[in-house]
Amino acid sequence: MMKIANAPCSWGALEFDLEEKSEEIGFEQVLDEIEETGYIGTELGDWGYMPTTPSLLKSELDKRHLDLLGAFVPVALAKAANHDAGVVSALKVAELMFNAGFKNSFIVLADDNGTVPERTKNAGRITSAMGLTEEQWKVYATGAEKIAKAVKDAYGIRTVFHHHCAGYVETPEEIDKLMTLTDPQLLGLCLDMGHYAFGGGDPVKALKKYGKRIWHVHFKDYSPEAAKASREANGDYFDAIKRGVFCELGKGSVDFQSIVKLLEEMKYNDWIVVEQDILPGMGNPKICAKANRDFIKSLGL
């Protein structure tokens, strides 16, 4: 049975260091609204956004009947000097989730997105010339495996890699490269439908291609019109978000009906996390969360 969750990023609680942070909604309101709009789980959000004491975290989630299914951990993996700090960061998050009783949660490992100017500026229109060298790819994959192994050895918690626009693993070719270079028993794939589409791919094809390597799924829609407007304005990743590149489910180009059918055929039996990335202060997250949950219900989930 697929279980439906939402995440703090749908309320504008993002990992990026932005001027808009002052408008960020507190975690209590976010958790209240996740429960009120019909979801049964959440992700942790940026470190420190929710309580970092296990008992307090569990108490806040339990009072709203919510499960914790994972936590986003950004690491600039292209530089070996960052790997040890990445291990420390991932272990800190894994320890919190484990000690709070959420032992089946995931570390959702990603690049430190938004920190490389060329990649941030050209999100959604990446060329091969903007990518990693063969040597950098080896470093990147080694770092991802090192973090995944450390977390698994210490807590038995699995790690999935989240491809992401404005990072070094965005395009279908880059995702394929990382999957080829890493151990499928050690590192799974978090397939994010919106990021895959924005990065130039078809999420339906990705589902068919990676199959059981996909351990975690994010439901996010993609607006080609918003991407086009941003591109024509020479906007960066954050400009695209402001223009609504990740729109409400069912209002973009992602073929969710086919995706749900494929997930059922794959016997995918885990979490689907709705993520409609917005910046702090944008829109009305609760109304969007309800609309997104209703859309998923229309698909039979």
Side-chain angles (χ1 to χ4, degrees):
M1 178 181 172
M2 288 179 266
K3 299 164 287 187
I4 312 300
N6 210 313
C9 61
S10 299
W11 277 257
L14 301 173
E15 69 275 12
F16 305 106
D17 186 16
L18 300 167
E19 292 179 6
E20 294 92 344
K21 277 280 188 183
S22 61
E23 297 183 63
E24 195 171 79
I25 298 171
F27 82 88
E28 298 96 334
Q29 180 181 340
V30 169
L31 292 182
D32 285 344
E33 293 184 0
I34 286 176
E35 181 196 18
E36 289 163 6
T37 51
Y39 299 89
I40 60 171
T42 184
E43 290 189 353
L44 186 66
D46 200 17
W47 179 262
Y49 179 67
M50 291 191 200
T52 54
T53 302
S55 59
L56 292 177
L57 177 62
K58 182 168 175 54
S59 174
E60 293 290 349
L61 294 167
D62 282 355
K63 72 171 69 170
R64 299 169 177 90
H65 312 289
L66 295 174
D67 205 343
L68 181 66
L69 46 117
F72 192 84
V73 177
V75 181
L77 292 164
K79 294 183 179 179
N82 298 324
H83 292 178
D84 286 345
V87 168
V88 171
S89 179
L91 285 174
K92 176 177 68 174
V93 174
E95 180 182 31
L96 172 61
M97 296 192 297
F98 183 89
N99 289 339
F102 303 103
K103 299 177 181 179
N104 293 319
S105 55
F106 288 104
I107 290 293
V108 184
L109 179 64
D111 203 344
D112 193 7
N113 307 299
T115 60
V116 178
E118 184 179 49
R119 301 291 299 207
T120 306
K121 180 67 177 174
N122 294 283
R125 46 189 185 272
I126 294 297
T127 66
S128 58
M130 300 172 189
L132 299 172
T133 65
E134 285 298 319
E135 188 58 37
Q136 286 175 314
W137 271 117
K138 291 175 186 175
V139 170
Y140 201 105
T142 297
E145 288 190 328
K146 183 176 183 177
I147 291 168
K149 186 175 188 306
V151 169
K152 186 177 182 181
D153 288 349
Y155 299 104
I157 285 176
R158 295 189 295 167
T159 297
V160 289
F161 188 86
H162 186 338
H163 58 96
H164 202 289
C165 295
Y168 274 121
V169 182
E170 172 179 328
T171 69
E173 294 78 17
E174 290 168 339
I175 297 163
D176 201 43
K177 182 75 170 179
L178 183 63
M179 292 297 98
T180 300
L181 289 173
T182 49
D183 181 353
Q185 302 303 313
L186 188 59
L187 187 71
L189 177 63
C190 170
L191 182 62
D192 184 298
M193 309 306 171
H195 279 285
Y196 199 86
F198 191 17
D202 178 353
V204 174
K205 291 181 179 177
L207 266 178
K208 292 176 180 176
K209 181 170 191 172
Y210 296 113
K212 295 297 183 182
R213 187 87 189 255
I214 298 167
W215 299 349
H216 198 44
V217 169
H218 285 175
F219 268 24
K220 182 186 277 110
D221 213 339
Y222 163 70
S223 168
E225 294 79 16
K228 181 174 183 286
S230 183
R231 183 170 62 250
E232 290 175 348
N234 201 29
D236 65 3
Y237 175 66
F238 299 105
D239 176 79
I241 291 180
K242 287 177 183 176
R243 293 175 188 270
V245 72
F246 299 128
C247 54
E248 282 185 24
L249 300 183
K251 294 188 175 180
S253 66
V254 175
D255 182 1
F256 285 102
Q257 284 190 321
S258 295
I259 285 167
V260 168
K261 184 180 178 184
L262 278 169
L263 288 171
E264 289 171 344
E265 290 172 358
M266 289 165 54
K267 294 182 169 51
Y268 180 79
N269 192 29
D270 216 302
W271 288 97
I272 290 173
V273 188
V274 174
E275 289 197 346
Q276 188 183 347
D277 294 10
I278 59 170
L279 299 182
M282 274 180 66
N284 192 318
K286 184 177 181 181
I287 289 175
C288 289
K290 179 65 165 60
N292 288 332
R293 187 65 190 95
D294 289 344
F295 175 77
I296 293 175
K297 285 178 182 177
S298 77
L299 300 173
L301 297 177

